[in-house]
Structure formats: C-alpha cells, structure tokens
Amino acid sequence: MAVIDVLKFDSDWNLYPRKGIFGELQTILKMSQTISKKDILDTCIRKQQELIQNFNDRIDEVKSEAFSHTETPSQTDDVSGASDEMLEVMGQELKLARSEMEILRSIDPQNAASQVERGAVVVTDQRIFFIGVSSEGIEVHGTKVFGMSEKAPLYGQMKGLKKGDGFQFNGTRYMIEEIY
C-alpha cells in the first residue's frame, strides 16, 4: 500500500490518515516499538548483578572496618556489635537479591506469554511491566519498563489476565494492550 493510499490532505493541507487506516498505522507503529523480552531480561539481570556486587562490596567494607579498629576493648565491643547487626541485615538483603537473580535466570525469553504470569511483558495503556522481580523503572532502548514481583499487590490484580482485559488498582484503570 503506497503512502498516498493511506494518507490524505484536508482543506488546510493538513495530512491525516484515511478513515479506517488509522488503526492499522497504530498497529504498525506499536509493532516497530516492541522491545524484545530478551533485552528486557538482560537489562534486569545486569541490574541485579550490580545490586549483588554492591552488597558484596559493602559487606567486605564493613567487615574490614570492624576488624581494623584499634580502640580500647569497650569501644571495639560497641563498634563490633553495630557491625554485626549491619552485616546481618546486609546478609539478608544479599540473600534476597540472590534469590531474585534465580527468579530472573528461570525465565526463558523465548517463551511467549498469552496471559499475565512470570516472565511476561505486559504492555498497558499506562506502563510496560516485566513480571519477574521488583525493580524501579529500567530503561531499555529508550523505553521505561517496570519490573514487578509476583508478590506485588498490583500483580495480584492482573495475574492471569489476557490482552484486551482491563483492571483497576489504587484508582488507576489499566487496559492490557499486549502480552508477550
């Protein structure tokens, strides 16, 4: 189909799509903007690796600081107790980050999803979600994608839904435009 067949001018020489063609043009544009699930997953894994490395570095730093103090025994006991608590908390966070990495590694980007489930990319009229682990918006090829855990309340509202389904969460209405 030639461009002249799908576009026409109005009386003020403004160019616009012919009636009935606009939906086809939107579909073509959306398809060209689709981000591959592999690229999204790779970005999430890189971000998770950075998080794990940051925890490891910080734990090493706290351990090094705790063992390098040369203060009196009573001061060392206070520092050691605080360091132990900090190490325990960071160790728990590191354990969570590693378990989230396993979730990401369990996702096969070649598996096409037809409903909202782990590993699905869910394109709504509001945002794009990647179901796996929770993460702030990541940027993939200039598009913001939000990582969502299966434990998130929003996921509970959308779990099992399919393309064309709608749902509401915290007063915001979402329409699922695409799932892959």
Side-chain angles (χ1 to χ4, degrees), residues 72-137:
T72 62
S74 64
Q75 290 173 324
T76 304
D77 289 345
D78 289 345
V79 170
S80 178
S83 295
D84 288 345
E85 285 179 37
M86 187 179 290
L87 285 171
E88 185 176 333
V89 169
M90 288 192 304
Q92 291 170 354
E93 292 294 323
L94 177 59
K95 184 178 178 181
L96 175 63
R98 286 180 176 155
S99 72
E100 288 177 335
M101 177 63 89
E102 291 308 311
I103 290 170
L104 290 171
R105 289 192 172 150
S106 74
I107 296 171
D108 181 355
Q110 300 303 316
N111 287 345
S114 60
Q115 65 180 14
V116 179
E117 61 189 2
R118 179 184 290 179
V121 176
V122 182
V123 180
T124 72
D125 58 344
Q126 301 293 322
R127 293 183 170 176
I128 299 173
F129 299 101
F130 177 65
I131 311 301
V133 301
S134 181
S135 67
E136 296 176 15

Side-chain angles (χ1 to χ4, degrees), residues 140-155:
V140 183
H141 304 302
T143 301
K144 201 166 198 174
V145 178
F146 294 86
M148 184 184 305
S149 164
E150 293 169 281
K151 297 175 185 172
L154 179 56
Y155 177 76

Side-chain angles (χ1 to χ4, degrees), residues 39 60 103 132:
D39 290 348
D60 290 345
I103 290 170

Side-chain angles (χ1 to χ4, degrees), residues 150-162:
E150 293 169 281
K151 297 175 185 172
L154 179 56
Y155 177 76
Q157 292 294 309
M158 60 192 318
K159 180 181 179 180
L161 296 179
K162 299 177 188 266

Side-chain angles (χ1 to χ4, degrees), residues 34-102:
T34 300
I35 306 164
S36 85
K37 187 186 298 191
K38 182 181 182 328
D39 290 348
I40 295 170
L41 181 59
D42 289 347
T43 302
C44 287
I45 288 174
R46 271 193 309 278
K47 185 173 180 176
Q48 199 68 22
Q49 287 170 331
E50 290 171 10
L51 179 66
I52 290 169
Q53 187 59 52
N54 288 340
F55 274 121
N56 282 325
D57 292 347
R58 184 68 181 130
I59 287 170
D60 290 345
E61 185 180 306
V62 170
K63 283 180 181 178
S64 175
E65 288 174 7
F67 295 117
S68 68
H69 290 290
T70 57
E71 291 84 14
T72 62
S74 64
Q75 290 173 324
T76 304
D77 289 345
D78 289 345
V79 170
S80 178
S83 295
D84 288 345
E85 285 179 37
M86 187 179 290
L87 285 171
E88 185 176 333
V89 169
M90 288 192 304
Q92 291 170 354
E93 292 294 323
L94 177 59
K95 184 178 178 181
L96 175 63
R98 286 180 176 155
S99 72
E100 288 177 335
M101 177 63 89
E102 291 308 311

